[in-house]
Structures are given as structure tokens and as C-alpha cells.
Amino acid sequence: PPDWTKLPIAAGDTKKESDAIATRRLCREEQLSSYTGKRAIGFVKANVVCLPAEDAHDLLNFCMRNSHTVPVLDVCDSAQGTFLARGSDVRMDCPGYWIFRDGELCMEKHDIRSDWQPDDVAFFVSSNSTLDGVLLQNGISLRHVEEMLQVPMFITDIPLVAAGRFGSCLVVQMIPILKSQLAKVLEITNLSNSIRVPPLIIGDATSIGIHHLAAPDFGSPIDLMPDEVPCFWPSSAGTLLEALRDAHPKVSQCCTNIPGHDLATDFKESDWSLLVSDVSK
């Protein structure tokens, strides 16, 4: 197979680039520092986590044991080694990053080259913003996208399967859906793969420990309109953040993309769906 790490990101006229490559180039040139859900629509987006190799085995086990919530797409020990995005560099190709030290968020940066350690391992986990793109393509109104807000995320009382130092409860994200579009959303998400998943809860979420929609654990609050219903999806970004924050013992340092500021991969959503379906059989 070709050595994807040696294929440079195309420069110049963006019409000659795929939307995914153009998005990564804009990130690398520090011309993009916002939500990526409206960019490279139709391409799979990935959350990234970079952490020391000594913690990678536990995190991989945590992800594998909870694969429906945090589906791993790739793991590599090189910042430029993923097959998901040719010529990419995980340290520069997201619009923004968070730096955690001993479980505490301490810094937000656009470029984490100076924070990458020689023994770091990069995880690429399927992002909910891929589903945002699918819904947008099908005419579904998404207020967090329209209003440029970070989607609200809530820690539930549903425990996930722990692995080593990592263990947490499920984190979900809440998206207000127009009541008139709910049936269409359910039709779009009626597929058995890790991208087009239906909502876990529609409406009242007190059964999973969510009582105050105005006070999310992560992200920005969004007020519900009378013609909307709250829909809750498992959040890979939120679950990863909670697992990293709640690790025992704490991870000395790790870097993640800011939720919604994802890596645009070279895989189309339709292609990835077929791959996931084949693997699951």
C-alpha cells in the first residue's frame, strides 16, 4: 500500500482538493478555528486523543469495551501515521485543542506540536459531528450548528465498563429537533452502524439522570423552543473527556481536540458505513 504519511496536503486552489483535505489545510494554516460540522460534509470526522504510551493500553481497552459509545477508527504512535487522512498531522489538523494535565483542563491551543511527546500515542474516535453532517444533508435543522454553539453534553447515571485507570458514566449530547422533523430523523438513523445511530432518549431524560437542561456538564446550554423535542445521543467526545478527567491515577498529560473541532478524514460517510456494517457481520 502507498505510504500515506509521505503524501503532502495539497496547496493552492481548493477546488482541486477534497473538502476534507481543504479543511485540514485551513486548520494547519490557522485559518480555521471553529466547529467543523458544516465543513467536509459527507466525510467521517474523528475526535483525537494524544496521551503517553503507558496509558494507551488502558484507553484502548476502555474504548473496545464501550465501542458503541467510543468507536475507535485508528490508533498510531506517530503524529503523521494515520491511514484515515493522507498527509495529515494530528498535532495541527484540528481547528483547536485542549491540553489536560493531571486530569485538569489547563490550556487551549491551535497547534500542539510543542506538547507532543516522543512516546505519545494518538487515538482517532468516530465523532458525532459526522452524524450532524448526515442530518444537515437531509435538511434537518440543527440549532447548535446554526447558532455556532458547542453542543450541550450531560453526564448520565449509566456506568460504562471500566478498563485499568479509565472508567466513567455515559455522556450524551442533547440536540433539539423540530417535532415536524422527528420522524425523518428516526428514518435517517435507522441503520446498524456507529455513525447513523438513533437517539438514546427522546424527550424527558430523567430516567438516565438528567434533570436540568440549562446546566450541561460540557458545552453550551440551548433553550428548547415550543416546536422542538430534546433528543439525546451518546457522545464520544463527552465520554472521552469524562474518562480522562476521572482517570485513577490521573494521566500526567493528554491532548484532545475541542469537542466539535474534529479531524476531517478522507473517508466518505457512505463508504465508512459499508465498512462498519461488513465488520459487524
Side-chain angles (χ1 to χ4, degrees):
D3 183 354
W4 298 115
T5 65
K6 295 182 179 178
L7 293 176
I9 286 183
D13 185 357
T14 57
K15 292 180 181 179
K16 297 179 181 178
E17 304 170 327
S18 74
D19 288 343
I21 292 175
T23 298
R24 298 198 301 272
R25 180 178 56 79
L26 289 173
C27 292
R28 190 175 296 193
E29 295 175 353
E30 298 191 8
Q31 297 183 42
L32 177 63
S33 58
S34 59
Y35 173 74
T36 52
K38 291 183 73 173
R39 291 185 174 272
I41 289 180
F43 288 87
V44 173
K45 310 288 178 44
N47 294 301
V48 301
V49 177
C50 307
L51 78 174
E54 65 179 6
D55 303 312
H57 184 265
D58 284 350
L59 184 59
L60 180 59
N61 278 343
F62 176 77
C63 293
M64 296 299 290
R65 292 174 183 178
N66 302 283
S67 59
H68 290 293
T69 303
V70 279
V72 174
L73 306 180
D74 192 20
V75 180
C76 58
D77 58 7
S78 167
Q80 300 170 309
T82 182
F83 75 95
L84 296 169
R86 57 183 178 177
S88 68
D89 189 321
V90 72
R91 304 167 299 179
M92 297 186 287
D93 291 350
C94 295
Y97 300 86
W98 280 345
I99 315 298
F100 293 83
R101 294 196 175 99
D102 297 320
E104 298 296 327
L105 175 61
C106 66
M107 198 178 306
E108 181 176 313
K109 301 180 72 174
H110 193 90
D111 181 320
I112 58 169
R113 281 177 293 177
S114 62
D115 302 281
W116 176 273
Q117 302 300 311
D119 69 335
D120 273 355
V121 175
F123 282 72
F124 301 83
V125 177
S126 182
S127 169
N128 293 73
S129 65
T130 308
L131 177 59
D132 287 356
V134 172
L135 296 176
L136 289 169
Q137 278 184 312
N138 284 274
I140 304 300
S141 299
L142 300 179
R143 288 208 13 242
H144 68 285
V145 176
E146 296 165 1
E147 300 175 18
M148 296 296 290
L149 297 173
Q150 195 175 99
V151 68
M153 292 171 276
F154 301 85
I155 302 171
T156 72
D157 58 10
I158 302 172
L160 297 178
V161 182
R165 69 176 63 194
F166 297 110
S168 74
C169 286
L170 173 68
V171 177
V172 296
Q173 64 178 39
M174 189 280 288
I175 298 179
I177 297 294
L178 290 170
K179 295 175 182 177
S180 61
Q181 294 186 328
L182 182 58
K184 188 174 182 180
V185 168
L186 296 179
E187 179 183 354
I188 294 168
T189 58
N190 187 27
L191 292 174
S192 298
N193 64 55
S194 60
I195 293 174
R196 297 196 183 202
V197 294
L200 177 68
I201 294 283
I202 299 172
D204 184 9
T206 55
S207 63
I208 57 173
I210 299 173
H211 301 280
H212 303 290
L213 295 185
D217 295 289
F218 307 103
S220 305
I222 299 179
D223 294 329
L224 281 176
M225 300 299 179
D227 59 348
E228 294 174 331
V229 60
C231 294
F232 299 84
W233 274 271
S235 169
S236 58
T239 300
L240 285 168
L241 289 174
E242 180 61 8
L244 291 167
R245 190 175 69 168
D246 201 39
H248 297 286
K250 300 294 185 183
V251 177
S252 58
Q253 175 177 294
C254 66
C255 306
T256 73
N257 63 295
I258 300 171
H261 295 53
D262 307 314
L263 178 78
T265 78
D266 292 330
F267 281 85
K268 290 290 187 74
E269 183 271 334
S270 55
D271 296 335
W272 195 265
S273 298
L274 291 172
L275 175 61
V276 173
S277 297
D278 288 343
V279 170
S280 64
K281 290 179 181 179

